[in-house]
Amino acid sequence: MANVDFPRGFIPIDGSMRTHNYPIASNNSQIGLYDLVERRSDGLIHPAQASSTTIIGSAAEAKAANAGGTLAVYDDPNLIFEAQMDEAEADAQTDFDLNYNIVATTPNTTTGQSQMEIDSSTQAATATLPIKILRLRDVQTAAGNALGANAVFECIINNHVLKSTGVNG
């Protein structure tokens, strides 16, 4: 049975679920629950972009555009996340422990939840890619979870601003 295409961001599943509040600009972009967020040169938190090297964590709440204030973030540099691949390139065990980029998208306008995914076509041993996949997630659904299109993986932030600039795959 095929994997379900249901992007939902980067959901923390193992590690410290403690959050910290970070300032966001008064003219902020919409931030979805479980969007990866980065600290930019202005010192404020923004939704992460592809190839970001300043990711600080995953949003613990949704924020409407132009809300300003602060954002609660799951920011433990050792957190393990659950996230979906966007396509089918991660289809073998040899694709594990490689680094990947993210597909940075706007959140679901109805639910406020992230729609970010792992960009499966970017797999490489390059240290500057922001996500490292660890293993296939054991998903207990009727559809299951198998290598291939829309597979759900356990991953870590490879380029975490509180940890390092990343390691090779």
Side-chain angles (χ1 to χ4, degrees):
M1 190 174 254
N3 298 324
V4 176
D5 185 11
F6 182 60
R8 52 200 168 276
F10 289 77
I11 302 170
I13 58 170
D14 190 21
S16 171
M17 301 298 176
R18 185 174 174 196
T19 63
H20 292 97
N21 290 323
Y22 292 89
I24 58 176
S26 58
N27 63 344
N28 66 289
S29 299
Q30 181 182 7
I31 300 172
L33 175 64
Y34 305 128
D35 267 354
L36 289 179
V37 293
E38 64 183 356
R39 182 184 292 157
R40 295 195 187 148
S41 59
D42 63 3
L44 301 172
I45 299 301
H46 300 266
Q49 299 174 335
S51 299
S52 174
T53 58
T54 58
I55 294 176
I56 199 151
S58 175
E61 61 182 328
K63 280 284 185 175
N66 304 312
T70 61
L71 179 73
V73 177
Y74 297 107
D75 63 356
D76 181 349
N78 299 308
L79 265 176
I80 297 175
F81 298 89
E82 169 185 298
Q84 176 180 293
M85 286 278 182
D86 67 336
E87 294 179 12
E89 285 87 358
D91 57 0
Q93 297 289 329
T94 53
D95 296 325
F96 294 13
D97 292 326
L98 292 176
N99 300 324
Y100 295 79
N101 214 332
I102 61 172
V103 178
T105 60
T106 58
N108 181 302
T109 55
T110 303
T111 66
Q113 183 150 342
S114 176
Q115 296 185 111
M116 287 186 176
E117 299 176 274
I118 302 168
D119 186 349
S120 65
S121 66
T122 60
Q123 58 185 291
T126 307
T128 56
L129 291 171
I131 300 298
K132 177 181 288 294
I133 64 168
L134 304 174
R135 60 193 150 266
L136 195 63
R137 178 87 166 127
D138 183 17
V139 177
Q140 301 297 319
T141 66
N145 188 35
L147 288 171
N150 306 312
V152 177
F153 286 90
E154 293 183 18
C155 60
I156 59 171
I157 298 171
N158 188 47
N159 283 316
H160 197 291
V161 76
L162 302 177
K163 181 170 65 174
S164 74
T165 57
V167 295
N168 291 334

PDB file of all heavy atoms in Angstrom, residues 33-55:
ATOM      1  N   LEU A  33       2.421  25.617  13.106  1.00  0.00           N
ATOM      2  CA  LEU A  33       2.795  24.669  14.144  1.00  0.00           C
ATOM      3  C   LEU A  33       3.695  23.608  13.518  1.00  0.00           C
ATOM      4  O   LEU A  33       3.322  23.006  12.502  1.00  0.00           O
ATOM      5  CB  LEU A  33       1.544  24.019  14.741  1.00  0.00           C
ATOM      6  CG  LEU A  33       1.769  22.904  15.755  1.00  0.00           C
ATOM      7  CD1 LEU A  33       2.466  23.444  17.002  1.00  0.00           C
ATOM      8  CD2 LEU A  33       0.444  22.241  16.104  1.00  0.00           C
ATOM      9  N   TYR A  34       4.878  23.416  14.047  1.00  0.00           N
ATOM     10  CA  TYR A  34       5.907  22.463  13.593  1.00  0.00           C
ATOM     11  C   TYR A  34       6.690  22.933  12.367  1.00  0.00           C
ATOM     12  O   TYR A  34       7.416  22.156  11.764  1.00  0.00           O
ATOM     13  CB  TYR A  34       5.361  21.057  13.365  1.00  0.00           C
ATOM     14  CG  TYR A  34       4.646  20.486  14.574  1.00  0.00           C
ATOM     15  CD1 TYR A  34       3.377  19.959  14.464  1.00  0.00           C
ATOM     16  CD2 TYR A  34       5.252  20.486  15.824  1.00  0.00           C
ATOM     17  CE1 TYR A  34       2.709  19.440  15.565  1.00  0.00           C
ATOM     18  CE2 TYR A  34       4.584  19.976  16.937  1.00  0.00           C
ATOM     19  CZ  TYR A  34       3.313  19.455  16.799  1.00  0.00           C
ATOM     20  OH  TYR A  34       2.657  18.950  17.891  1.00  0.00           O
ATOM     21  N   ASP A  35       6.549  24.210  11.994  1.00  0.00           N
ATOM     22  CA  ASP A  35       7.454  24.767  10.986  1.00  0.00           C
ATOM     23  C   ASP A  35       8.859  24.833  11.578  1.00  0.00           C
ATOM     24  O   ASP A  35       9.018  25.180  12.758  1.00  0.00           O
ATOM     25  CB  ASP A  35       7.062  26.210  10.622  1.00  0.00           C
ATOM     26  CG  ASP A  35       6.137  26.324   9.433  1.00  0.00           C
ATOM     27  OD1 ASP A  35       5.859  25.305   8.777  1.00  0.00           O
ATOM     28  OD2 ASP A  35       5.692  27.458   9.171  1.00  0.00           O
ATOM     29  N   LEU A  36       9.873  24.529  10.786  1.00  0.00           N
ATOM     30  CA  LEU A  36      11.229  24.817  11.223  1.00  0.00           C
ATOM     31  C   LEU A  36      11.409  26.324  11.183  1.00  0.00           C
ATOM     32  O   LEU A  36      10.914  26.994  10.269  1.00  0.00           O
ATOM     33  CB  LEU A  36      12.250  24.143  10.302  1.00  0.00           C
ATOM     34  CG  LEU A  36      12.343  22.624  10.413  1.00  0.00           C
ATOM     35  CD1 LEU A  36      13.375  22.083   9.425  1.00  0.00           C
ATOM     36  CD2 LEU A  36      12.685  22.181  11.832  1.00  0.00           C
ATOM     37  N   VAL A  37      12.099  26.850  12.184  1.00  0.00           N
ATOM     38  CA  VAL A  37      12.334  28.290  12.244  1.00  0.00           C
ATOM     39  C   VAL A  37      13.822  28.552  12.384  1.00  0.00           C
ATOM     40  O   VAL A  37      14.569  27.731  12.917  1.00  0.00           O
ATOM     41  CB  VAL A  37      11.535  28.964  13.390  1.00  0.00           C
ATOM     42  CG1 VAL A  37      10.040  28.909  13.109  1.00  0.00           C
ATOM     43  CG2 VAL A  37      11.851  28.349  14.735  1.00  0.00           C
ATOM     44  N   GLU A  38      14.232  29.713  11.888  1.00  0.00           N
ATOM     45  CA  GLU A  38      15.639  30.085  11.913  1.00  0.00           C
ATOM     46  C   GLU A  38      15.810  31.466  12.533  1.00  0.00           C
ATOM     47  O   GLU A  38      14.898  32.284  12.499  1.00  0.00           O
ATOM     48  CB  GLU A  38      16.226  30.066  10.512  1.00  0.00           C
ATOM     49  CG  GLU A  38      15.616  31.085   9.566  1.00  0.00           C
ATOM     50  CD  GLU A  38      16.149  31.006   8.143  1.00  0.00           C
ATOM     51  OE1 GLU A  38      17.050  30.211   7.867  1.00  0.00           O
ATOM     52  OE2 GLU A  38      15.643  31.760   7.306  1.00  0.00           O
ATOM     53  N   ARG A  39      17.008  31.698  13.079  1.00  0.00           N
ATOM     54  CA  ARG A  39      17.351  33.033  13.560  1.00  0.00           C
ATOM     55  C   ARG A  39      18.164  33.710  12.468  1.00  0.00           C
ATOM     56  O   ARG A  39      19.193  33.198  12.050  1.00  0.00           O
ATOM     57  CB  ARG A  39      18.168  32.968  14.846  1.00  0.00           C
ATOM     58  CG  ARG A  39      18.490  34.369  15.376  1.00  0.00           C
ATOM     59  CD  ARG A  39      19.377  34.335  16.595  1.00  0.00           C
ATOM     60  NE  ARG A  39      18.661  33.759  17.715  1.00  0.00           N
ATOM     61  CZ  ARG A  39      19.264  33.199  18.757  1.00  0.00           C
ATOM     62  NH1 ARG A  39      20.570  33.125  18.814  1.00  0.00           N
ATOM     63  NH2 ARG A  39      18.558  32.704  19.748  1.00  0.00           N
ATOM     64  N   ARG A  40      17.693  34.855  12.017  1.00  0.00           N
ATOM     65  CA  ARG A  40      18.384  35.579  10.952  1.00  0.00           C
ATOM     66  C   ARG A  40      19.251  36.683  11.535  1.00  0.00           C
ATOM     67  O   ARG A  40      19.274  36.914  12.746  1.00  0.00           O
ATOM     68  CB  ARG A  40      17.369  36.149   9.959  1.00  0.00           C
ATOM     69  CG  ARG A  40      16.632  35.020   9.231  1.00  0.00           C
ATOM     70  CD  ARG A  40      15.904  35.490   8.022  1.00  0.00           C
ATOM     71  NE  ARG A  40      15.100  34.400   7.486  1.00  0.00           N
ATOM     72  CZ  ARG A  40      13.952  34.581   6.868  1.00  0.00           C
ATOM     73  NH1 ARG A  40      13.477  35.795   6.684  1.00  0.00           N
ATOM     74  NH2 ARG A  40      13.274  33.547   6.409  1.00  0.00           N
ATOM     75  N   SER A  41      19.942  37.392  10.672  1.00  0.00           N
ATOM     76  CA  SER A  41      20.904  38.412  11.101  1.00  0.00           C
ATOM     77  C   SER A  41      20.252  39.556  11.872  1.00  0.00           C
ATOM     78  O   SER A  41      20.926  40.283  12.594  1.00  0.00           O
ATOM     79  CB  SER A  41      21.676  38.959   9.898  1.00  0.00           C
ATOM     80  OG  SER A  41      20.776  39.521   8.962  1.00  0.00           O
ATOM     81  N   ASP A  42      18.919  39.708  11.760  1.00  0.00           N
ATOM     82  CA  ASP A  42      18.236  40.752  12.531  1.00  0.00           C
ATOM     83  C   ASP A  42      17.991  40.313  13.976  1.00  0.00           C
ATOM     84  O   ASP A  42      17.434  41.064  14.776  1.00  0.00           O
ATOM     85  CB  ASP A  42      16.920  41.165  11.863  1.00  0.00           C
ATOM     86  CG  ASP A  42      15.892  40.042  11.766  1.00  0.00           C
ATOM     87  OD1 ASP A  42      16.145  38.920  12.272  1.00  0.00           O
ATOM     88  OD2 ASP A  42      14.827  40.278  11.162  1.00  0.00           O
ATOM     89  N   GLY A  43      18.391  39.063  14.315  1.00  0.00           N
ATOM     90  CA  GLY A  43      18.219  38.541  15.669  1.00  0.00           C
ATOM     91  C   GLY A  43      16.843  37.995  15.947  1.00  0.00           C
ATOM     92  O   GLY A  43      16.568  37.526  17.046  1.00  0.00           O
ATOM     93  N   LEU A  44      15.959  38.011  14.945  1.00  0.00           N
ATOM     94  CA  LEU A  44      14.586  37.566  15.119  1.00  0.00           C
ATOM     95  C   LEU A  44      14.369  36.205  14.476  1.00  0.00           C
ATOM     96  O   LEU A  44      15.151  35.755  13.647  1.00  0.00           O
ATOM     97  CB  LEU A  44      13.626  38.602  14.521  1.00  0.00           C
ATOM     98  CG  LEU A  44      13.731  40.010  15.121  1.00  0.00           C
ATOM     99  CD1 LEU A  44      12.872  40.989  14.331  1.00  0.00           C
ATOM    100  CD2 LEU A  44      13.358  40.015  16.588  1.00  0.00           C
ATOM    101  N   ILE A  45      13.273  35.559  14.861  1.00  0.00           N
ATOM    102  CA  ILE A  45      12.915  34.236  14.356  1.00  0.00           C
ATOM    103  C   ILE A  45      12.003  34.387  13.132  1.00  0.00           C
ATOM    104  O   ILE A  45      11.070  35.185  13.135  1.00  0.00           O
ATOM    105  CB  ILE A  45      12.206  33.421  15.461  1.00  0.00           C
ATOM    106  CG1 ILE A  45      13.132  33.221  16.659  1.00  0.00           C
ATOM    107  CG2 ILE A  45      11.695  32.099  14.927  1.00  0.00           C
ATOM    108  CD1 ILE A  45      14.419  32.508  16.360  1.00  0.00           C
ATOM    109  N   HIS A  46      12.310  33.592  12.110  1.00  0.00           N
ATOM    110  CA  HIS A  46      11.548  33.582  10.860  1.00  0.00           C
ATOM    111  C   HIS A  46      11.345  32.123  10.444  1.00  0.00           C
ATOM    112  O   HIS A  46      12.109  31.245  10.859  1.00  0.00           O
ATOM    113  CB  HIS A  46      12.334  34.290   9.744  1.00  0.00           C
ATOM    114  CG  HIS A  46      12.649  35.717  10.037  1.00  0.00           C
ATOM    115  ND1 HIS A  46      11.845  36.744   9.621  1.00  0.00           N
ATOM    116  CD2 HIS A  46      13.681  36.293  10.704  1.00  0.00           C
ATOM    117  CE1 HIS A  46      12.358  37.894  10.013  1.00  0.00           C
ATOM    118  NE2 HIS A  46      13.479  37.653  10.671  1.00  0.00           N
ATOM    119  N   PRO A  47      10.349  31.836   9.578  1.00  0.00           N
ATOM    120  CA  PRO A  47      10.245  30.476   9.037  1.00  0.00           C
ATOM    121  C   PRO A  47      11.550  30.123   8.314  1.00  0.00           C
ATOM    122  O   PRO A  47      12.126  30.959   7.626  1.00  0.00           O
ATOM    123  CB  PRO A  47       9.079  30.572   8.050  1.00  0.00           C
ATOM    124  CG  PRO A  47       8.294  31.763   8.484  1.00  0.00           C
ATOM    125  CD  PRO A  47       9.294  32.714   9.064  1.00  0.00           C
ATOM    126  N   ALA A  48      12.021  28.902   8.497  1.00  0.00           N
ATOM    127  CA  ALA A  48      13.265  28.470   7.851  1.00  0.00           C
ATOM    128  C   ALA A  48      13.099  28.453   6.341  1.00  0.00           C
ATOM    129  O   ALA A  48      12.000  28.248   5.818  1.00  0.00           O
ATOM    130  CB  ALA A  48      13.668  27.093   8.352  1.00  0.00           C
ATOM    131  N   GLN A  49      14.207  28.669   5.658  1.00  0.00           N
ATOM    132  CA  GLN A  49      14.251  28.614   4.206  1.00  0.00           C
ATOM    133  C   GLN A  49      15.097  27.415   3.795  1.00  0.00           C
ATOM    134  O   GLN A  49      15.874  26.899   4.593  1.00  0.00           O
ATOM    135  CB  GLN A  49      14.875  29.894   3.646  1.00  0.00           C
ATOM    136  CG  GLN A  49      14.117  31.142   3.994  1.00  0.00           C
ATOM    137  CD  GLN A  49      14.847  32.395   3.544  1.00  0.00           C
ATOM    138  OE1 GLN A  49      16.060  32.419   3.399  1.00  0.00           O
ATOM    139  NE2 GLN A  49      14.093  33.453   3.327  1.00  0.00           N
ATOM    140  N   ALA A  50      14.971  27.001   2.553  1.00  0.00           N
ATOM    141  CA  ALA A  50      15.815  25.925   2.035  1.00  0.00           C
ATOM    142  C   ALA A  50      17.278  26.303   2.245  1.00  0.00           C
ATOM    143  O   ALA A  50      17.658  27.465   2.100  1.00  0.00           O
ATOM    144  CB  ALA A  50      15.524  25.691   0.565  1.00  0.00           C
ATOM    145  N   SER A  51      18.080  25.339   2.617  1.00  0.00           N
ATOM    146  CA  SER A  51      19.519  25.482   2.852  1.00  0.00           C
ATOM    147  C   SER A  51      19.873  26.363   4.043  1.00  0.00           C
ATOM    148  O   SER A  51      21.003  26.816   4.161  1.00  0.00           O
ATOM    149  CB  SER A  51      20.240  26.004   1.602  1.00  0.00           C
ATOM    150  OG  SER A  51      20.074  25.085   0.549  1.00  0.00           O
ATOM    151  N   SER A  52      18.944  26.591   4.956  1.00  0.00           N
ATOM    152  CA  SER A  52      19.233  27.399   6.135  1.00  0.00           C
ATOM    153  C   SER A  52      20.323  26.749   6.982  1.00  0.00           C
ATOM    154  O   SER A  52      20.337  25.541   7.192  1.00  0.00           O
ATOM    155  CB  SER A  52      17.982  27.574   6.994  1.00  0.00           C
ATOM    156  OG  SER A  52      18.307  28.244   8.189  1.00  0.00           O
ATOM    157  N   THR A  53      21.233  27.564   7.479  1.00  0.00           N
ATOM    158  CA  THR A  53      22.274  27.080   8.396  1.00  0.00           C
ATOM    159  C   THR A  53      22.094  27.674   9.786  1.00  0.00           C
ATOM    160  O   THR A  53      22.975  27.553  10.630  1.00  0.00           O
ATOM    161  CB  THR A  53      23.683  27.420   7.870  1.00  0.00           C
ATOM    162  OG1 THR A  53      23.769  28.836   7.700  1.00  0.00           O
ATOM    163  CG2 THR A  53      23.969  26.707   6.563  1.00  0.00           C
ATOM    164  N   THR A  54      20.945  28.324  10.035  1.00  0.00           N
ATOM    165  CA  THR A  54      20.703  28.928  11.345  1.00  0.00           C
ATOM    166  C   THR A  54      19.374  28.465  11.941  1.00  0.00           C
ATOM    167  O   THR A  54      18.679  29.224  12.619  1.00  0.00           O
ATOM    168  CB  THR A  54      20.724  30.465  11.246  1.00  0.00           C
ATOM    169  OG1 THR A  54      19.721  30.885  10.304  1.00  0.00           O
ATOM    170  CG2 THR A  54      22.081  30.982  10.814  1.00  0.00           C
ATOM    171  N   ILE A  55      19.005  27.199  11.719  1.00  0.00           N
ATOM    172  CA  ILE A  55      17.750  26.673  12.275  1.00  0.00           C
ATOM    173  C   ILE A  55      17.895  26.563  13.785  1.00  0.00           C
ATOM    174  O   ILE A  55      18.893  26.078  14.306  1.00  0.00           O
ATOM    175  CB  ILE A  55      17.394  25.318  11.648  1.00  0.00           C
ATOM    176  CG1 ILE A  55      17.080  25.519  10.156  1.00  0.00           C
ATOM    177  CG2 ILE A  55      16.198  24.683  12.367  1.00  0.00           C
ATOM    178  CD1 ILE A  55      16.795  24.246   9.398  1.00  0.00           C
TER     179      ILE A  55
END
